[in-house]
Amino acid sequence: MTISDAMKRERESSMSKLRILAFAIVLGSTAFSVSAAGVPDLSNAIKPGEWMYVVQPHVKLGNLQVPSHTISNKKCITQKQLSQSRDFLINGRGKCKIKSISYSGHVLTYTQKCTGGTGKLTLHGRMKIDSRTSYHGTVDTTGTISGQKVTGHTTLKAHRTGSCGGSGR
């Protein structure tokens, strides 16, 4: 293997890590699973049903920048999830803990810390609820993965598209 081949493999490996990180940040922008204690009840602010999310992550790992891209995702949100603020805004996969969360003036803000594998991340999110059927927000991410500095800024827009799978939930 030549030095050029080795450098190409290292770059591909780093880009793969960046894509995984970008996906993790996207998930962190669109869903969460935490205990209901201290978490705001969003059932009067958001209408249950099927929601479409459009997410644009901008992530940098060390000196590598993930190419800009847009990810669209649909998710069913139930009344129960909204009343407990579960599976809605902040992803709890892995070892993530909500450090602070508040809801005031139709704005949900939070700070979350995640650890796992070879990384530690801190996410600062701000979601503005525009109406019962739409919201938008940002998530700023800092931390390290495999000893390399990570920074990210993700924008999110979401709107309700209808009932969940025709079930009328």
Side-chain angles (χ1 to χ4, degrees), residues 52-71:
M52 170 64 78
Y53 300 93
V54 178
V55 181
Q56 294 179 306
H58 303 278
V59 181
K60 188 173 182 180
L61 175 64
N63 293 327
L64 295 176
Q65 179 77 41
V66 172
S68 294
H69 59 289
T70 300
I71 300 169

Side-chain angles (χ1 to χ4, degrees), residues 123-154:
L123 292 83
H124 299 282
R126 181 181 189 280
M127 302 297 161
K128 170 80 167 89
I129 298 174
D130 303 311
S131 70
R132 292 201 68 215
T133 59
S134 73
Y135 70 90
H136 69 279
T138 60
V139 178
D140 291 309
T141 306
T142 58
T144 59
I145 291 185
S146 299
Q148 294 187 57
K149 182 179 177 182
V150 175
T151 57
H153 178 78
T154 300

Side-chain angles (χ1 to χ4, degrees), residues 34-55:
V34 295
S35 66
V39 177
D41 179 348
L42 298 175
S43 61
N44 291 322
I46 297 289
K47 189 172 183 178
E50 183 176 79
W51 284 73
M52 170 64 78
Y53 300 93
V54 178
V55 181

Side-chain angles (χ1 to χ4, degrees), residues 1-152:
M1 177 186 322
T2 67
I3 292 175
S4 177
D5 290 338
M7 290 175 64
K8 184 177 178 182
R9 276 195 182 166
E10 178 61 30
R11 181 168 175 79
E12 288 172 359
S13 173
S14 294
M15 290 304 287
S16 178
K17 288 178 187 175
L18 280 173
R19 285 185 194 99
I20 291 167
L21 173 64
F23 185 69
I25 291 170
V26 167
L27 291 175
S29 305
T30 61
F32 84 87
S33 299
V34 295
S35 66
V39 177
D41 179 348
L42 298 175
S43 61
N44 291 322
I46 297 289
K47 189 172 183 178
E50 183 176 79
W51 284 73
M52 170 64 78
Y53 300 93
V54 178
V55 181
Q56 294 179 306
H58 303 278
V59 181
K60 188 173 182 180
L61 175 64
N63 293 327
L64 295 176
Q65 179 77 41
V66 172
S68 294
H69 59 289
T70 300
I71 300 169
S72 298
N73 184 29
K74 284 188 177 182
K75 180 173 177 71
C76 178
I77 304 295
T78 67
Q79 186 69 32
K80 181 178 179 182
Q81 289 168 321
L82 289 169
S83 66
Q84 297 175 358
S85 292
R86 292 159 59 101
D87 297 325
F88 181 58
L89 293 174
I90 307 162
N91 184 348
R93 291 188 182 109
K95 297 178 182 175
C96 297
K97 294 187 189 249
I98 300 297
K99 295 299 182 182
S100 66
I101 187 165
S102 66
Y103 179 67
S104 176
H106 301 286
V107 177
L108 179 80
T109 57
Y110 67 90
T111 297
Q112 178 181 18
K113 296 209 180 248
C114 299
T115 59
T118 61
K120 293 182 182 182
L121 297 176
T122 300
L123 292 83
H124 299 282
R126 181 181 189 280
M127 302 297 161
K128 170 80 167 89
I129 298 174
D130 303 311
S131 70
R132 292 201 68 215
T133 59
S134 73
Y135 70 90
H136 69 279
T138 60
V139 178
D140 291 309
T141 306
T142 58
T144 59
I145 291 185
S146 299
Q148 294 187 57
K149 182 179 177 182
V150 175
T151 57

